[in-house]
Structure formats: C-alpha cells, structure tokens
Amino acid sequence: MIDRTRGYYNEKSETMSREEREVYKKERLSEILQYGYEHSKFVRSLLIKAGLRPEEIKELKDLEKLPITKKADLVKAQKENPPFGGFETLSGKNLKRIYISPGPVFEPGERDYRDIRWAQALYASGIREGDIVLNTFNYHLTPLALMLDESLQMIGATVVPVGPGNISMLIQLMRELKVTGYIGTPSFLMAIVDAAEGMGLNLQKEIHLQTAFVGAEMFPESLRQKLEGKLHILIQQGYGTVDVGCLGYECREKKGMHIPEDVIVEIVDTETGKQLEMGATGEIVATNFIKAFPMIRFATGDLSYLIEEPCPCGRTSFRLGKILGRTDQVTKVSGIFIHPWQVDEIMHKFPMVANYQVVVTRKEYRDAMSLYIELKEEVSDPHTLKRRLEREVEETLKVKGEVIFT
Amino acid sequence: MIDRTRGYYNEKSETMSREEREVYKKERLSEILQYGYEHSKFVRSLLIKAGLRPEEIKELKDLEKLPITKKADLVKAQKENPPFGGFETLSGKNLKRIYISPGPVFEPGERDYRDIRWAQALYASGIREGDIVLNTFNYHLTPLALMLDESLQMIGATVVPVGPGNISMLIQLMRELKVTGYIGTPSFLMAIVDAAEGMGLNLQKEIHLQTAFVGAEMFPESLRQKLEGKLHILIQQGYGTVDVGCLGYECREKKGMHIPEDVIVEIVDTETGKQLEMGATGEIVATNFIKAFPMIRFATGDLSYLIEEPCPCGRTSFRLGKILGRTDQVTKVSGIFIHPWQVDEIMHKFPMVANYQVVVTRKEYRDAMSLYIELKEEVSDPHTLKRRLEREVEETLKVKGEVIFT
C-alpha cells in the first residue's frame, strides 16, 4: 500500500520559513506588476488609477493601495476591449488554449506556463505516481478539468478523462481498470457511491478507490464523514476559481486549506478593501502570477478567514478556513451586515432546529427581521426556546429578530 | 491572409520518395514487431499462431502471414486479460491517460509518445500557427478530441476546447474571439451554419472561419459543396479510428486521403486477409507503431481503395480513396457479396432515383433480390427505365435483381 500521508509535491517551497515565503511572494508580485504594467492595459490602468508605479508596491500590505477587481469588472473590460479586456499580453502563438468562464469571460492560457498549484493540491490529497485517476470534471470550456489533467500527469498519475458522464458506466470502468483515485465534485462522488450501493456492490472490495480530491462546490463536514465512512478512504478538498486557479488545498490533517506559494490570498473587508487581521472573516481576494492573464486583487465573492498556526503536516503556509458563504448572500438589517453563515452558526447550537428561513422586511423606514423556524419535533416549552433563540440572535448578529415557529 | 495551401507539417517525411517511405515503414514495422513480441502478450500470440518470429516479417507484403485482428478480438482479449488484454507493455507511470472506446476497449496512452499523424492532417487542412481553433469533438472517454487538442498545440494554434456544446453559445464565441478554424464532425458544422443563418448572420462577415477539418463520420460531396459554398472556405476531412489513430487526411487538392508515414494501411480481401491490388476495393487494415497499444493488422471494418498516382500537392504518399461503407453492411446474394456502395454507384447513374431499398429474401434454397425504388417524379416510360436499371444491376453486381417502383 502506497503511503499517501507523507511527502510534498515540492518540499523546498512547501516547507520554507514564513519569512522566506513572504520574500518569495513579494518578488513574484513585483515581477507580475512590472510585467502587467508593461504588457497589460488592464493592469496598467489599475496602477494608474491608484497613482502608483509598480515599484511602489513593496510589501504584500501595499496591495491595499490597489483597487479590487470584481468579476463584473472583467466582463465589462472584455466587452470594451475584446476579446481579453486588455489582457492581450501574449501573441497568439504563445496561447495554448482559450477557456470560457461564465460571464462569459475569455481566459487566455499560456502555452509554456506550468501552474504547479493544482499538482501540489493533488499530491497533498494523497495522489501519487502510478495512480489511475478518474477525472469527472467537465473538460469543455472551463479550465479546471484540463488543468487537473495536466497536474495529474505532472505527478505521474494516469488520467481517465471521463467527464461527468453516465454513472453506471463509470462504475464499470472503476471496477475493470481498478481505478485508485477520484477527482470531481463531492456530490458526484456521493451519486457514484449511491449507485454502487444500489447495484449491491461491496464498496471496499469491488470499488478500489484509495483517495479522492473534491472541489468546485461546498463540501459539508457531514458529507465528508458519510463518504469517508462508506469508502474507508480520506477525502481532501481544494478551493479555487476559474479566473485565478487554485487558492487552497487540504493536506491529510484537514485543518484548513494550505495556500500555495504561487498566489497571494488576502482576506479583506468587502466595503473598504482593507486587509483584515488573522482569523477575521472577510472576502477572499487573490493575486496570481500568470503572465497570460494576471489577476491583481481579484474578488472571489467567497467568504473565509486565515489560519496562522503551524500545521502538523509540515507545510508552513498560512491556511484558508472553511468557505463560509458568498458575499452576495449578505443582507443589511438596520445598517448591519447579516451573513447566512452567521445564522448557520447560531442554529447549529440548537439541534432541534430542522430548517429555518430569514426574512427581512421594511416598514416605514424601519427594518424588521423574522426567523421562521421548523423544529424536528414538538418541544415541551416553546416559549423558553423562542426566548433563548432570540437572545442568541441578538447577541451574535447585534440585531433583534423575531422567532416564529412554523 | 495566411497561405493555407502550401507547406507541410514535416516536409522531409511527407515528400520522401516511395522507396524511402517503404524502407522507413519496414524499419518501423520491424521495431514494433520486435517490441510487441517482447512486451505484448497479444502481439506475441499473433506471431506464435502464425509460426513466425518477428524478424521473419521482412517486407510489408509479409504482413499477410499474420492474422487480422478485429474489434471483437480486442474486446475478448481484454475480458480474458484485464484490463488491456495483453497490451500491458508499459508500467503505470508511463501511461498518460487511459481512453475508452466502445466495446468497451481500454486504450492505454503513452506518456512521452507524440503522435504526429493528426498534426500532419491538421496542417494539410490549412491550420497554421496563430489560428484560433474551435475543437467541437467530445473530450470525454475517447482519445480523438484530446489528441487533436495536442496536435493543434504542436502546430502552434490556440485551442478553444468547447466540445459538442450549445450551438448558440458557440456562435457567440466564434464571433467574439474571431475563431479562424473549426474541427469536428461535418454535420455539427452544418448545424452551426444553419443556426447562424437562422440568426440572420452574414456567414462571411460575421463568422470569421478560414478553415475547417472534419472527421468521425461520412462526409458526402454534396455536404462539402454546401458548406464550402456557404462559408467560402475549403473543408478537408481526415479519417481514422479510435483504436489505431489517423489513417489518412486530405490536402487542399482533395484527391483522396494521404496516408501518414507512421502507419501501414493495407486494403485486404475480408475473407482471405490477402492484400488487394492498387485501386481494388476492400477492407482497410492498419498497423501502427505505438508502443503502449501496438495494433498489428487491425481491421477497421471500413471499405476503401488505394490511389497510387502522385498528388499535385507534393506529398508522395499513397492515398486512401473515399470510404465506401462498412464491411458489416455487406450481404451475400446467391454466393456473391453485395455492398451498399456498389448499389449507390449504380443509383448515382440514374438522377431520377430519389430513394431505394434492397431487400434480399430466400425462397426454397434460392436467394431473390428486389430493389424498391422511389422516383423523384413520374417518368414517361417506366418499363424502359426498369429494364435499364435491371441490366445495370446485373452487370455491376453479377446478380439479378427485380426493380419495383414504389
């Protein structure tokens, strides 16, 4: 049996000291800002708007001086300057592929650039040379499946490029080829497991999976436990977006997602764009070093926080915590932001809650928040529960809300 | 405007003399037979069954001494020796991908092998460095789309990996990215053209296609003329199968399909496996030189013939003529094989024929063939037409048939 728990894709960079990593990232940032200033209309205009020359961004902290770029800004830039919105930094013959992400945003891929971030992620998830890996992401249009295909090859694994296809055929392939690795969404893996059980298969004996790497959607802890319990394997997740690539990946310790060296991840206040302190929740903003499509402070729309403490796996990078939701799910009540993940956290403390819905209404210039709650079963003293819930809501959200049992 | 009519992907090999090519193919054949004998159980058993050692196959003509391998033989071999049926010639870490072709047949792809046959085909079709090419083949499971993706990169073109997706979105992409090349099936290109016309677009001004390469299905001359007429571009076709790869490609002269150097194509009598003379119609049988999955005399099931005369394009290879149909569409009437393409050829001489159907029945040990024919319009003298048709049928097919107008 292969030891999937130890080792690194790139030990030197994954275990460098924090000071070395900071220096490395600063150097890469200078390079990309210089390159972007010279070759990318879009990046140059960011710097000009901020009244800065690239060499004036010296520290990662200085990034705050530059504006945030949102997906909508990319779409607008590409409409105004087709096709790449001022990212035409390389001539056609240096472009390997053009990907399309929703928007649509056209994303040029550099012919000779090897992005090792997904390879680091796959290696950390346990995939090794010689593994036969089912790639169930969709190879069409968006870059994820093709990049992971390349990353699996960088590790020396063999790819079965199946896409999100016919599940009963996939199960047949997994059995006949003795597939050892899975990459795809967690929900598709669950669908495969359900179908295999439905066919009466013994998951450990007849499905030969040894490791799985999931991404591209939320991965609740409950689903992880279910899958790991049924398959008797560890399942790791990675996080990234089509526009900026891999931003974090779990190691076998599953204590947050390691941020790769070749990207800068900031957690910022969505309103001000200022970097938040370690542990505080804010929007994930990323800066990558890809010449064909350099993203400087790209706003992902996802909410998370940074973890500083060292990881027992030996990797020395900061980590991203759980993805807590989307900035666009935020609602303002009486001037205060309410995030769905905050309400989730409250409800987790009350195991008798089955479902809930938050409704915000406005009556004559005053906001009112109601929480409609469905209980798993009747409780003996609903009045006390209502009071406890309302107290918790007010303490956590700093806003009053009325609890209504439905 | 790029000159798409001249040049070669690999001038030296594409223009070598016929003697040099013969020597080159003989050398490659010796190598693969030696390699297969040593590393592939399947290939070794072919040689052993024929009572030969690899060095006893000296000339391309000697291939006749080896048995034909049919698709069904591959499926059977893989069932008996999973997963690759005795083609486990490379260790896992040397396999880049595993593809699946209907059967299913598992096809190992070698990590470091670069198959240039599709690149030759794409270059001959007019695709050049700097082209932006829509790849509409399906990237999942079968190798064609991924191999063509790689081949486009070998030429220096940029790939848009769209797959056979949403047509109205594809048209938007083609316009916004100014896509210059198309690869896919001819029927999908026709569907794109139909949709673009339905949207009221000017095909020459608003769709920027300059070249198209089609394959994976029959390409009737009538469809080519329609597409070329509407798009004002030349359209080339390539021919191959998932198991053996590219076997032929058109140049801009469109006088048959050039056979690449890195494959041996024989036209054989399906019954005896003997090579037929130049120009005679028989089954296409291919031998490739791919170590991970060496196919020796693989029967494609397709019917065609060889063209010997030199091509004005300068390429010196033999060419494959039109694909005339499938061996499995053949029917025996009174001991004589009747192929659909033969009946097609007869009917082409009678422009008034709209549709026809051949029905073979058996009455007390005697076969009877009836040809049900639908005419485009009424003819003045149906009796004479019936006689002419029946004479033509008997002369061409060497079997009597009764013509019935429906």
Side-chain angles (χ1 to χ4, degrees):
Chain A
M1 196 64 140
I2 302 167
D3 182 358
R4 299 181 185 278
T5 59
R6 275 159 231 281
Y8 309 92
Y9 180 73
N10 188 341
E11 181 165 4
K12 193 162 172 293
S13 68
E14 289 170 40
T15 62
M16 62 171 112
S17 74
R18 292 197 164 171
E19 296 69 34
E20 285 172 320
R21 176 173 287 106
E22 174 106 6
V23 169
Y24 176 79
K25 292 200 181 194
K26 270 160 55 179
E27 285 172 2
R28 305 283 327 251
L29 176 63
S30 291
E31 273 169 36
I32 198 69
L33 286 173
Q34 194 66 50
Y35 182 86
Y37 189 78
E38 286 165 19
H39 298 87
S40 157
K41 247 198 243 183
F42 189 89
V43 173
R44 184 163 55 239
S45 79
L46 293 179
L47 283 153
I48 288 175
K49 255 184 252 167
L52 290 169
R53 293 189 52 84
E55 55 273 21
E56 293 177 80
I57 310 285
K58 292 194 174 73
E59 304 294 326
L60 303 190
K61 184 77 183 155
D62 294 335
L63 273 171
E64 287 186 345
K65 299 174 188 168
L66 292 175
I68 301 281
T69 297
K70 288 178 185 286
K71 184 89 172 186
D73 301 326
L74 280 188
V75 175
K76 186 163 166 275
Q78 294 203 342
K79 283 234 167 76
E80 288 168 0
N81 284 304
F84 299 128
F87 287 94
E88 285 78 355
T89 72
L90 293 171
S91 68
K93 67 174 182 174
N94 293 312
L95 295 184
K96 174 179 183 160
R97 296 198 191 94
I98 298 169
Y99 304 104
I100 294 102
S101 72
V105 170
F106 299 125
E107 193 174 319
E110 191 174 337
R111 194 175 298 284
D112 300 321
Y113 182 71
R114 301 196 97 194
D115 188 343
I116 68 160
R117 290 177 290 157
W118 288 118
Q120 288 180 278
L122 294 169
Y123 198 95
S125 83
I127 289 169
R128 295 290 180 270
E129 183 181 291
D131 271 323
I132 297 179
V133 182
L134 215 58
N135 185 356
T136 68
F137 284 115
N138 195 319
Y139 278 67
H140 302 141
L141 298 169
T142 56
L144 185 58
L146 284 157
M147 282 187 177
L148 288 171
D149 187 293
E150 201 173 84
S151 306
L152 286 165
Q153 291 180 41
M154 284 155 77
I155 292 174
T158 301
V159 191
V160 193
V162 295
N166 179 310
I167 289 182
S168 61
M169 195 200 55
L170 289 196
I171 292 172
Q172 191 194 341
L173 295 185
M174 290 170 84
R175 298 178 68 187
E176 295 190 11
L177 286 174
K178 295 199 176 20
V179 164
T180 51
Y182 166 90
I183 66 178
T185 62
S187 58
F188 194 64
L189 182 56
M190 192 65 232
I192 291 174
V193 165
D194 281 341
E197 287 187 328
M199 292 159 74
L201 297 181
N202 178 319
L203 292 176
Q204 280 92 57
K205 286 194 186 148
E206 296 174 274
I207 298 287
H208 310 272
L209 271 192
Q210 295 178 24
T211 186
F213 173 81
V214 299
E217 64 184 26
M218 292 295 248
F219 186 37
E221 209 45 47
S222 55
L223 180 56
R224 163 142 47 194
Q225 279 166 20
K226 198 168 170 190
L227 284 169
E228 290 187 344
K230 283 178 182 287
L231 291 165
H232 292 201
I233 61 170
L234 292 185
I235 297 171
Q236 261 66 39
Q237 66 178 320
Y239 165 72
T241 82
V242 285
D243 305 291
V244 286
C246 179
L247 304 182
Y249 57 91
E250 287 181 326
C251 64
R252 311 287 275 191
E253 301 289 335
K254 299 186 278 194
K255 291 181 157 56
M257 296 183 284
H258 289 278
I259 297 170
E261 287 63 51
D262 287 339
V263 70
I264 295 170
V265 170
E266 302 169 83
I267 297 292
V268 309
D269 180 309
T270 309
E271 295 278 290
T272 64
K274 296 290 172 205
Q275 294 172 8
L276 297 177
E277 70 273 28
M278 200 57 60
T281 297
E283 183 168 7
I284 302 168
V285 162
T287 296
N288 68 16
F289 310 135
I290 296 172
K291 283 186 179 173
F293 200 46
M295 283 292 129
I296 309 296
R297 304 201 89 203
F298 182 79
T300 62
D302 293 316
L303 294 164
S304 187
Y305 54 93
L306 288 176
I307 301 169
E308 189 174 17
E309 71 216 28
C311 182
C313 77
R315 287 176 185 81
T316 49
S317 56
F318 289 156
R319 279 158 287 152
L320 268 175
K322 258 175 53 166
I323 304 300
L324 295 167
R326 299 274 311 160
T327 54
D328 50 16
Q329 290 166 332
V330 74
T331 309
K332 226 171 183 177
V333 183
S334 305
I336 290 172
F337 285 113
I338 308 289
H339 292 285
W341 60 271
Q342 292 176 304
V343 188
D344 276 342
E345 282 193 353
I346 296 167
M347 298 303 163
H348 271 300
K349 296 182 188 163
F350 296 87
M352 66 291 279
V353 171
N355 288 301
Y356 69 87
Q357 188 180 24
V358 180
V359 176
V360 180
T361 49
R362 195 168 174 83
K363 274 184 198 159
E364 297 175 2
Y365 311 105
R366 287 197 60 178
D367 290 335
M369 179 168 70
S370 306
L371 294 99
Y372 291 88
I373 291 175
E374 185 189 321
L375 297 174
K376 286 179 185 156
E377 52 203 69
E378 266 186 47
V379 290
S380 55
D381 185 358
H383 287 287
T384 308
L385 179 60
K386 179 173 151 73
R387 272 204 310 280
R388 279 180 52 216
L389 273 160
E390 288 176 347
R391 196 167 52 233
E392 189 74 30
V393 165
E394 192 172 352
E395 279 174 10
T396 310
L397 305 181
K398 319 292 176 205
V399 178
K400 276 193 194 221
E402 190 192 0
V403 165
I404 301 154
F405 295 122
T406 63
Chain B
M1 196 65 142
I2 302 167
D3 182 359
R4 299 179 185 279
T5 59
R6 274 159 231 282
Y8 310 93
Y9 179 72
N10 188 340
E11 181 165 3
K12 194 162 172 294
S13 67
E14 289 170 39
T15 61
M16 64 172 113
S17 75
R18 292 198 163 170
E19 297 68 35
E20 287 172 320
R21 176 174 286 106
E22 174 107 7
V23 170
Y24 176 79
K25 292 200 179 193
K26 270 160 56 177
E27 285 172 2
R28 304 283 327 252
L29 177 63
S30 292
E31 274 168 35
I32 197 70
L33 286 173
Q34 195 64 51
Y35 183 87
Y37 189 80
E38 287 164 18
H39 298 87
S40 157
K41 247 198 242 183
F42 189 90
V43 173
R44 184 162 56 240
S45 79
L46 292 179
L47 283 153
I48 288 173
K49 256 185 251 165
L52 291 169
R53 291 188 52 84
E55 54 274 21
E56 292 178 79
I57 311 286
K58 291 195 176 73
E59 303 294 326
L60 303 189
K61 184 75 184 157
D62 294 336
L63 273 171
E64 287 185 346
K65 299 174 187 168
L66 293 174
I68 301 283
T69 297
K70 287 177 187 286
K71 183 88 172 187
D73 302 325
L74 280 188
V75 175
K76 186 164 167 274
Q78 294 203 342
K79 283 235 167 76
E80 288 167 1
N81 284 303
F84 299 127
F87 286 94
E88 286 78 353
T89 70
L90 293 170
S91 69
K93 67 175 181 174
N94 293 311
L95 295 184
K96 173 179 184 161
R97 297 199 190 93
I98 298 170
Y99 303 104
I100 293 101
S101 73
V105 171
F106 299 125
E107 192 174 320
E110 191 174 337
R111 194 175 299 285
D112 299 321
Y113 182 71
R114 300 196 99 194
D115 188 341
I116 68 160
R117 291 176 291 157
W118 289 118
Q120 288 180 274
L122 294 168
Y123 197 95
S125 83
I127 290 168
R128 296 289 180 271
E129 183 180 291
D131 271 321
I132 297 179
V133 182
L134 215 58
N135 185 356
T136 68
F137 285 115
N138 195 320
Y139 279 67
H140 302 141
L141 299 169
T142 55
L144 185 58
L146 284 157
M147 282 187 177
L148 288 171
D149 186 295
E150 202 173 82
S151 306
L152 286 165
Q153 291 178 42
M154 284 155 78
I155 292 174
T158 302
V159 191
V160 193
V162 293
N166 179 311
I167 289 181
S168 60
M169 194 200 54
L170 289 196
I171 292 172
Q172 192 194 341
L173 295 184
M174 290 170 84
R175 297 179 69 187
E176 295 190 11
L177 286 173
K178 296 200 178 14
V179 164
T180 51
Y182 166 91
I183 66 178
T185 62
S187 57
F188 194 64
L189 182 56
M190 192 65 233
I192 291 174
V193 165
D194 280 342
E197 287 188 328
M199 292 158 75
L201 297 180
N202 178 320
L203 292 176
Q204 280 93 56
K205 287 193 187 149
E206 296 175 275
I207 298 288
H208 310 272
L209 271 193
Q210 295 178 24
T211 185
F213 173 82
V214 299
E217 65 185 24
M218 292 294 246
F219 187 38
E221 209 44 46
S222 54
L223 180 56
R224 163 143 45 195
Q225 280 165 19
K226 197 168 170 189
L227 284 168
E228 289 187 344
K230 282 178 182 287
L231 290 164
H232 292 201
I233 62 170
L234 292 185
I235 298 172
Q236 261 66 41
Q237 66 177 320
Y239 165 72
T241 83
V242 286
D243 305 292
V244 285
C246 179
L247 304 182
Y249 57 91
E250 288 180 327
C251 63
R252 310 287 275 190
E253 301 288 336
K254 299 186 278 193
K255 291 178 157 51
M257 297 183 283
H258 290 279
I259 297 169
E261 286 63 52
D262 286 340
V263 70
I264 294 169
V265 170
E266 301 169 82
I267 297 293
V268 309
D269 179 308
T270 310
E271 295 278 289
T272 63
K274 295 292 173 207
Q275 294 171 8
L276 297 176
E277 71 274 27
M278 200 57 58
T281 297
E283 184 168 7
I284 302 169
V285 162
T287 297
N288 67 17
F289 309 135
I290 296 173
K291 283 186 179 172
F293 201 46
M295 284 292 128
I296 310 295
R297 303 202 90 203
F298 182 78
T300 62
D302 293 316
L303 294 164
S304 187
Y305 54 92
L306 289 176
I307 300 168
E308 190 174 17
E309 70 216 28
C311 182
C313 76
R315 288 175 184 81
T316 50
S317 55
F318 290 156
R319 279 159 286 154
L320 270 175
K322 259 175 53 166
I323 305 301
L324 294 167
R326 298 274 311 160
T327 54
D328 51 15
Q329 290 165 332
V330 75
T331 310
K332 227 171 181 174
V333 183
S334 307
I336 291 172
F337 286 112
I338 308 291
H339 292 284
W341 61 270
Q342 292 176 302
V343 188
D344 277 342
E345 283 194 353
I346 296 167
M347 297 304 163
H348 269 300
K349 296 182 187 163
F350 296 87
M352 66 292 277
V353 172
N355 288 300
Y356 69 87
Q357 189 180 24
V358 180
V359 176
V360 180
T361 50
R362 197 167 171 84
K363 274 186 197 154
E364 298 175 0
Y365 310 106
R366 289 198 56 179
D367 290 335
M369 178 168 69
S370 306
L371 294 97
Y372 292 89
I373 290 175
E374 185 190 321
L375 296 175
K376 285 180 186 156
E377 53 203 70
E378 264 184 49
V379 289
S380 55
D381 185 359
H383 287 287
T384 308
L385 180 59
K386 178 172 151 76
R387 272 204 310 278
R388 279 180 54 213
L389 273 160
E390 287 176 348
R391 194 167 53 232
E392 189 74 30
V393 164
E394 192 171 355
E395 278 173 12
T396 310
L397 306 181
K398 319 292 176 205
V399 178
K400 276 192 197 223
E402 190 192 359
V403 164
I404 300 153
F405 294 123
T406 63

